[in-house]
Amino acid sequence: MLADTSTQTTGAIPGGGRTPTVIRLLVLATFVVILNETIMINAIPTLIHDLGITERSAQWVSTAFMLTMAAVIPVTGWFLQRVSTRRAYAIAMLVFLAGTALAAVAPNFAILLVGRVVQAGGTAVMMPLLMTTLMTVVAEQDRGRVMGNVTLAISVAPAMGPVISGLVLDAGKGFEDHIAAWRWLFVLVLPIAGAVTWFGLRKLENVGEPQSGAIDWLSVVLAALGFGSLVYGLSHFETGNWTTPALIVAAGAALIAAFAFRQISLQRTGTPLLDLRVLLAGTYTKALVLMSLAFLAMMGSMILLPLYLQNLRHLTPLQTGLLVMPGGLAMGLLGPTVGKIFDRFGGRVLVIPASIGITVALAGFTFISADMPYWQLLAMHVLLMLSLAAAFTPVFTLGLGALPMHLYSHGSSMLGTLQQVAAAFGTALVVTIMSARSTDLIKEGTAPDAAMLSGMKVAFGVSAVLSIIVIVMAVLLPSRSESPEGHGHGHGGEVPAPDAAEVSDLDAEAIELEAELKPQLTKD
């Protein structure tokens, strides 16, 4: 067993202009692990050549990662309430390290996939752990600023994955006589993740007190099969093969419905695996829809742009990575500024212009051509990334801030799960639309390159239309959303704190203690 020697910290740390050390450590670890979700995108051609596999099989290095994330994240809400911060961190990072090491030495594709699944199991815990800890230890007036720094991990890491992999693969070609280029993607991550794990365990302090409670294994099975089937089905839609993926998606949806009914039942009689009362908070639900659609737009563009740049403009993976790198960097650099603006002026001044920027950027991509100047592509991509950065920080903060403290872990778990579903849906949507359109044009006698370009335009157009919903959600979101533990009564449909009869004795004691301390905390 892992020893927990640090002291427990409860309640929000008063605003003091500094990001708590525990958040800095978790952001660093989360960036390292989430980076791996997209780092294999550029390595697919190399895997096909080195391992003698088909393109469909090679796609599984990304699909398996998303599948595992979608299956594991629903369990993290329960898990994070049952173990200490240090133990959750140690388990997540050690599992990630084991998966990375296995993938680095994998003798064949099957072992590589196992390594990716183990990697994803550790990654799935980190983002909910980071978000739950942040909402617990950071005072409400500082959450925007701190969440702006967190944006670097949760938003920039996926965007930077293809960039870093392009650089590593290009540099690794010089060592291919000794080690395959794709293995460097794991070999280089291993010591970095090891150092982050060691440093984190030395400095990390526990936040909150673990609660006791049995796990409902039926819920675990329903969540894993339901969300896993949904992501698998969505990621396998393709032209000419609609029936099988549609049946898998339908089965996944049915299992998720059974999972939801099971959770509602457990909320009355026991401990739910994922507490669905988070959806009673109107602000949280609107934020959930906005975040899912924004993440869909980001992942869709991340799939289409490399296809356009490499297949139609004939750039190398390294050149492709360098072209999209400014957008990822701009996203990360803007994060802290967005947080400060949110703390001072609220969310609407950021989210509404950002949602419009997302739609404008996606609409701009519908005008791509075979000879469009690269600076125009760069400008549209930077606009999209900046708009996403301006939206993510306030939406995360507003959404989770609308929940009572005992639901933070469940809220962040549901948000993480739907991000994976949105990523799979976004990828399936744009690829299916592009393929269907290009196939129809080729049958009519259009040249393959022109047909693919037309398909990409249509796919970007559909994404732009869907992003209009993001604008609607942005208009409906409040500028600020006080949680039930804050100093107001809340607004925007915030879910009230539960009665003592609805929670465990430990929860009830915590609520009573918080009520006693609130006047003093407000005074201070």
Side-chain angles (χ1 to χ4, degrees), residues 134-206:
L134 185 152
M135 297 300 295
T136 303
V137 305
V138 178
E140 186 176 350
Q141 64 269 25
D142 283 338
R143 284 178 184 167
R145 175 184 58 80
V146 177
M147 190 72 78
N149 296 323
V150 170
T151 300
L152 178 67
I154 59 180
S155 304
V156 179
M160 293 297 291
V163 180
I164 294 174
S165 66
L167 293 169
V168 172
L169 290 170
D170 189 69
K173 290 178 181 178
F175 301 92
E176 284 186 321
D177 290 340
H178 306 285
I179 182 171
W182 60 268
R183 294 187 188 275
W184 285 105
L185 296 173
F186 303 106
V187 171
L188 294 179
V189 166
L190 200 56
I192 296 173
V196 169
T197 303
W198 176 79
F199 186 71
L201 289 175
R202 285 189 62 218
K203 300 291 184 180
L204 200 63
E205 293 184 356
N206 288 324

Side-chain angles (χ1 to χ4, degrees), residues 206-463:
N206 288 324
V207 174
E209 292 283 352
Q211 304 170 13
S212 60
I215 189 169
D216 181 62
W217 289 107
L218 177 58
S219 295
V220 173
V221 173
L222 289 174
L225 293 178
F227 288 106
S229 299
L230 186 63
V231 170
Y232 177 82
L234 288 172
S235 62
H236 279 73
F237 272 107
E238 59 184 14
T239 304
N241 181 25
W242 296 76
T243 305
T244 301
L247 290 174
I248 295 173
V249 168
L255 289 168
I256 291 172
F259 171 78
F261 283 115
R262 178 67 176 169
Q263 303 318 294
I264 292 172
S265 174
L266 289 174
Q267 284 166 194
R268 301 191 189 102
T269 61
T271 305
L273 188 68
L274 186 62
D275 199 321
L276 300 184
R277 281 174 290 197
V278 295
L279 297 177
L280 296 177
T283 298
Y284 174 81
T285 304
K286 293 166 192 170
L288 198 66
V289 173
L290 194 157
M291 283 296 303
S292 297
L293 287 172
F295 208 74
L296 182 154
M298 184 176 81
M299 294 303 293
S301 68
M302 285 178 63
I303 292 295
L304 289 178
L305 277 179
L307 288 174
Y308 167 76
L309 293 171
Q310 294 182 38
N311 293 354
L312 299 182
R313 302 299 292 269
H314 307 294
L315 297 185
T316 65
L318 177 59
Q319 291 170 329
T320 301
L322 292 175
L323 186 64
V324 299
M325 182 170 64
L329 291 176
M331 190 182 206
L333 293 174
L334 185 65
T337 302
V338 168
K340 292 175 182 177
I341 294 173
F342 173 78
D343 285 336
R344 185 170 181 181
F345 299 106
R348 289 173 62 86
V349 71
L350 289 163
V351 180
I352 294 176
S355 62
I356 295 172
I358 292 170
T359 302
V360 169
L362 292 172
F365 280 120
T366 62
F367 294 97
I368 57 174
S369 64
D371 56 358
M372 173 179 276
Y374 288 121
W375 70 266
Q376 292 182 9
L377 288 169
L378 180 63
M380 289 187 294
H381 185 251
V382 169
L383 173 62
L384 178 63
M385 292 295 106
L386 290 177
S387 299
L388 289 168
F392 282 160
T393 295
V395 171
F396 264 120
T397 310
L398 286 171
L400 291 179
L403 301 175
M405 186 178 293
H406 76 284
L407 290 181
Y408 286 161
S409 61
H410 293 275
S412 58
S413 296
M414 182 170 289
L415 194 59
T417 301
L418 289 189
Q419 275 192 349
Q420 298 309 309
V421 174
F425 181 69
T427 301
L429 181 70
V430 297
V431 171
T432 301
I433 292 173
M434 179 189 68
S435 299
R437 173 65 175 168
S438 59
T439 299
D440 290 343
L441 290 177
I442 290 173
K443 289 179 180 178
E444 296 172 4
T446 305
D449 283 0
M452 179 177 281
L453 183 62
S454 178
M456 288 181 178
K457 290 181 178 181
V458 174
F460 274 122
V462 171
S463 297

